[in-house]
Amino acid sequence: MRARSARLLSGASVIAVVAAFGAAAPASANQTVSGPLPSDAIVNTETDWVLINANATVYADANGDSFYNGLNMNAPTDALQVDSSYLAGAITNVGQMLAANNAIAVQAGSQVDGGFENTGTLDGGQYGFALDGDSSIDNGFLNSGTINGGVAGVFLGLNSDINGGIVNDGTISGAIGINMAGDWFELRGGIDNNAGATIVGTATAAIQVNGANTQLKGGITNDGTIQGQNTANGIALLAGTITGGITNNQGAIIEVTGVSNTAILINGATFNGDITNSGQILGENTSALGINITGTSTFTGNIVNNATGTISADLTAVSVGGTSFTGNVTNDGGILSNIGNGITANGTTFTGNITNNELIGAGGMGISVVAGTFTGDIVNNDTINAGTGSGIWVDATTAFTGNITN
């Protein structure tokens, strides 16, 4: 666990600046709160921007807020920037915060003890919300409004952390919806995307974890929609350690709409937990995949497709390749591939069983095991429909220790 530097709880002075640069220039409505003297909670009255900096300490009001915005803001840089400061309460937005750069940025060793809540709109040219530079939020991150960013809706950066998880009841969108890109970032409490909520990535991924030594503790639970559009994957876990698995509940969708993308991609991360699907995991456009575990990933857990679940792809629906996989793949619903295989284990060290209790339908092979080492059984208790290949295929190059039961 990283040791966090102690915040200075000595104070702030408050400077309100309203400047008019000539009769023809618009007024600038902004406020700066600077340390070291403490400040009362801020109920925003400015329409441009608010800066909290220089070791400021901002108390919480009776509602638990240190910063509250109910106005329409339109900032030339950041609408709210918290820089090297301490907020004893929450950041709450019920208004509209538009910014050329970041709608909200918490950075440079800042600490927000009361959490974050958005029921309005955050829209930044770069990020809707950015947490970076050894900064932290306690008591969770809750969105029931709209958060959008040109680069990412939510950016989680270097050496920072959130305690209490991310809960989305609204819309989070950007080229990357939620981007855990910072080395040593820790998200404790996972990501919950609730019923009716949407996380969208338009270019890279809806949810991406790619910071070295990043830790996502609590996994990802989806009851709404996680969608990768255009060139974006759905969930992309590319580095760090994920604990708690991925759960896609009944009625929920994890999907990609573009060509050659993947609904759930694990490539380079250490994954401890199950992928459990009771809803839909879809990669049905040309050359798209459903679940792809590949690269240098280490996967410890199970892939479970429940009776109400569908995993459907144009290429392989469930692919495990070039990785270490310890666990079982169990199908009680539908695993479907248009032109590829239903389930593929290719060049991997696979320790566990593959069991079909319902339907695998594939344009290629139903279950394919090629090269690598496979220790376990392959069991079919219901239906495997294969198109151009075998229902169950174990290549001669595979070191196979186990049984095949049909």
Side-chain angles (χ1 to χ4, degrees):
M1 183 68 64
R2 289 179 289 105
R4 177 170 300 283
S5 57
R7 301 297 316 141
L8 294 177
L9 298 183
S10 59
S13 61
V14 179
I15 304 172
V17 180
V18 179
F21 298 98
S28 176
N30 54 68
Q31 180 181 15
T32 299
V33 177
S34 299
L37 296 177
S39 167
D40 289 335
I42 301 166
V43 177
N44 183 41
T45 59
E46 310 300 340
T47 55
D48 282 354
W49 50 262
V50 174
L51 172 64
I52 303 171
N53 71 350
N55 288 317
T57 293
V58 182
Y59 296 143
D61 63 16
N63 295 317
D65 296 323
S66 286
F67 175 87
Y68 177 91
N69 176 61
L71 302 179
N72 293 336
M73 303 177 69
N74 197 337
T77 54
D78 297 344
L80 170 65
Q81 183 182 119
V82 181
D83 191 281
S84 61
S85 294
Y86 171 77
L87 276 60
I91 295 174
T92 300
N93 175 56
V94 302
Q96 178 176 270
M97 301 174 73
L98 309 181
N101 194 31
N102 306 312
I104 297 177
V106 178
Q107 61 191 33
S110 293
Q111 183 174 335
V112 180
D113 272 1
F116 166 79
E117 183 173 2
N118 175 56
T119 59
T121 298
L122 304 181
D123 196 326
Q126 185 171 7
Y127 304 124
F129 189 101
L131 179 66
D132 197 13
D134 196 32
S135 298
S136 70
I137 295 176
D138 287 332
N139 291 301
F141 183 109
L142 174 61
N143 175 56
S144 54
T146 298
I147 302 176
N148 180 66
V151 178
V154 177
F155 174 79
L156 307 176
L158 180 67
N159 286 335
S160 298
D161 54 77
I162 294 176
N163 289 302
I166 294 175
V167 177
N168 182 43
D169 288 305
T171 299
I172 298 174
S173 62
I176 305 173
I178 298 174
N179 188 18
M180 293 180 62
D183 294 354
W184 298 102
F185 189 94
E186 292 186 23
L187 174 56
R188 307 179 193 96
I191 298 172
D192 290 333
N193 190 50
N194 288 330
T198 302
I199 302 174
V200 174
T202 59
T204 306
I207 299 173
Q208 179 166 282
V209 178
N210 67 340
N213 301 299
T214 292
Q215 295 189 55
L216 170 53
K217 299 177 178 179
I220 299 169
T221 301
N222 181 44
D223 287 282
T225 299
I226 297 174
Q227 184 180 78
Q229 301 175 354
N230 305 314
T231 57
N233 295 309
I235 298 172
L237 309 178
L238 309 179
T241 300
I242 293 83
T243 304
I246 297 171
T247 301
N248 192 49
N249 287 319
Q250 186 172 357
I253 299 174
I254 301 173
E255 67 175 348
V256 288
T257 63
V259 174
S260 302
N261 300 319
T262 304
I264 298 176
L265 172 64
I266 303 175
N267 184 2
T270 298
F271 189 96
N272 297 312
D274 297 338
I275 298 176
T276 303
N277 179 49
S278 301
Q280 297 182 77
I281 298 174
L282 307 176
E284 296 182 324
N285 209 335
T286 304
S287 299
L289 295 93
I291 298 172
N292 187 17
I293 303 168
T294 186
T296 57
S297 303
T298 299
F299 187 104
T300 304
N302 304 301
I303 299 175
V304 180
N305 189 44
N306 288 325
T308 59
T310 298
I311 304 172
S312 179
D314 185 52
L315 292 182
T316 302
V318 178
S319 177
V320 179
T323 187
S324 173
F325 184 100
T326 303
N328 302 312
V329 177
T330 304
N331 177 46
D332 292 309
I335 293 180
L336 309 172
S337 171
N338 182 31
I339 61 172
N341 299 329
I343 300 171
T344 293
N346 187 356
T348 188
T349 301
F350 190 110
T351 305
N353 304 312
I354 298 175
T355 303
N356 176 51
N357 296 318
E358 189 58 32
L359 172 64
I360 297 175
M365 299 179 185
I367 299 172
S368 174
V369 179
V370 179
T373 301
F374 189 102
T375 304
D377 298 331
I378 300 175
V379 179
N380 178 42
N381 292 319
D382 205 301
T383 303
I384 299 177
N385 292 326
T388 59
S390 303
I392 298 173
W393 172 263
V394 178
D395 189 82
T397 61
T398 304
F400 184 90
T401 303
N403 301 296
I404 299 175
T405 303
N406 184 31

